[in-house]
Amino acid sequence: MKTSGSDRIMNTVIYGALALLSFVSLYPFWNAFVISLNEGTNTSLGGLTFWPRQLTFDNYEVILNDNRFFKATFVSVIRTVAGTASAIFLTALFAYGLSKKGVIGHKWYMLLAIFTMYFQGGLIPTYLWFRELGLFNNIWVLFVPWMISVWNMIVFRTFFKGIPEGLEESAKIDGCTNYGLFFRIIVPLSGPVIATLSLFQAVFFWNEWFHSGIYINDAALLPVQNYLVNMINSNSAQEMISQLGNVPGGAGDVVSRSITPKSLQMTALIVVSLPIIMVYPFVQKFFVKGVLIGSMKE
């Protein structure tokens, strides 16, 4: 289709603005990746922008040889998989019940659920409550408090109300129970919204570090984000470098002189971020449709 001169100018401005926005969003991550591949002492000289000046994989070797990193990653994987699966299942089940007008008191349940979105007990009462429940310093505290997401429930409920009632009625006529209706009819039809909300939930569980740092004291139960936070906020990176310098044979001492705390921190940032980024391509085809479903009004 032929476009006018003003349309071409406008398209150029729009694409230019999008390109600039993309660059501003992606460059910090790219710069961290470049620093992780550059020799630490060389990075400290400054001026490192788009490409490594002195390529090295020593930073990755140090991080990937740290047992604490793999233990923390294992905890994060358990938390993300178990937390996402349980949260999506329970939230969808809750939303399906609230989407039915025949459920007694469904409006009151909806109001109570929405109330919790705006009013919470606060950090100290929640801490005391978790301690009384036996969740303190327990791996269950990493995902049990987030098994129900009210916002995700509203999105699920909006989608479920859009499914034709005749489809469910015909299934019931054929002898399908309520549970069979949910698992055999509703869940297969909810692929886009389930994939989209699962991605949001997985990103949350993978990136969340604040509450795990409060409710868990056992270092073996801390997720990988807390490993990264400890490396940035404490002397963990410097301790790792010092330990390398004590390796017999001199090889560790050579490596310790080529890396710095900043290079280790940037390397840990990249390694921690990659797993959750790699999940996105698998749900990308459902992403736009799922978001649009959640934005429709009843």
Side-chain angles (χ1 to χ4, degrees):
M1 187 174 68
K2 187 176 180 180
T3 58
S4 62
S6 60
D7 289 337
R8 287 194 294 269
I9 294 175
M10 181 58 66
N11 289 337
T12 302
V13 172
I14 292 174
Y15 290 136
L18 291 175
L20 179 61
L21 182 62
S22 300
F23 173 78
V24 171
S25 302
L26 295 176
Y27 177 73
F29 186 82
W30 174 255
N31 186 251
F33 179 63
V34 170
I35 293 175
S36 69
L37 290 175
N38 199 71
E39 188 184 44
T41 53
N42 182 270
T43 302
S44 61
L45 299 177
L48 195 64
T49 53
F50 295 102
W51 308 105
R53 283 195 303 257
Q54 194 166 344
L55 182 65
T56 181
F57 294 99
D58 290 342
N59 299 314
Y60 286 92
E61 183 179 355
V62 172
I63 295 296
L64 296 178
N65 284 331
D66 187 7
N67 290 330
R68 293 174 299 176
F69 168 75
F70 285 102
K71 290 179 180 178
T73 302
F74 178 74
V75 172
S76 286
V77 171
I78 296 277
R79 179 192 195 184
T80 303
V81 174
T84 302
S86 59
I88 293 299
F89 171 72
L90 293 176
T91 303
L93 202 61
F94 183 34
Y96 181 66
L98 292 182
S99 67
K100 302 304 175 186
K101 296 181 179 180
V103 176
I104 299 176
H106 72 281
K107 291 185 178 180
W108 287 104
Y109 290 130
M110 190 68 185
L111 289 174
L112 290 174
I114 294 177
F115 181 84
T116 63
M117 291 180 62
Y118 300 100
F119 302 96
Q120 300 179 7
L123 183 60
I124 295 178
T126 303
Y127 179 90
L128 297 175
W129 181 41
F130 286 171
R131 189 179 64 179
E132 292 298 321
L133 291 176
L135 294 176
F136 182 75
N137 213 28
N138 191 313
I139 194 172
W140 290 96
V141 79
L142 294 177
F143 54 87
V144 166
W146 296 278
M147 279 189 173
I148 296 293
S149 170
V150 178
W151 175 259
N152 291 346
M153 182 272 292
I154 295 174
V155 176
F156 269 124
R157 180 173 176 267
T158 303
F159 176 81
F160 293 152
K161 290 177 72 70
I163 297 177
E165 295 182 1
L167 184 63
E168 299 183 22
E169 292 175 356
S170 61
K172 290 182 178 180
I173 292 175
D174 292 335
C176 190
T177 63
N178 289 327
Y179 287 104
L181 181 64
F182 178 76
F183 288 106
R184 294 184 180 182
I185 305 296
I186 302 301
V187 172
L189 292 176
S190 307
V193 67
I194 289 177
T196 302
L197 296 181
S198 295
L199 176 62
F200 292 159
Q201 202 72 50
V203 169
F204 167 78
F205 280 123
W206 184 266
N207 290 334
E208 206 281 328
W209 61 272
F210 179 74
H211 292 89
S212 55
I214 294 176
Y215 302 131
I216 292 182
N217 291 331
D218 188 357
L221 295 178
L222 289 175
V224 72
Q225 295 296 339
N226 292 89
Y227 171 86
L228 178 59
V229 170
N230 291 335
M231 180 169 290
I232 294 175
N233 294 337
S234 67
N235 296 323
S236 297
Q238 187 61 51
E239 291 175 1
M240 295 172 66
I241 297 174
S242 301
Q243 292 173 2
L244 287 173
N246 296 327
V247 175
D253 185 56
V254 173
V255 173
S256 67
R257 291 197 300 268
S258 67
I259 61 178
T260 61
K262 181 179 180 180
S263 65
L264 283 183
Q265 292 166 2
M266 293 299 103
T267 305
L269 186 151
I270 296 297
V271 175
V272 167
S273 302
L274 279 179
I276 198 64
I277 292 177
M278 294 173 62
V279 174
Y280 178 76
F282 296 98
V283 296
Q284 182 179 8
K285 62 181 179 179
F286 302 108
F287 191 76
V288 175
K289 185 177 179 181
V291 171
L292 289 177
I293 289 172
S295 64
M296 294 180 182
K297 294 183 179 180
E298 298 181 14

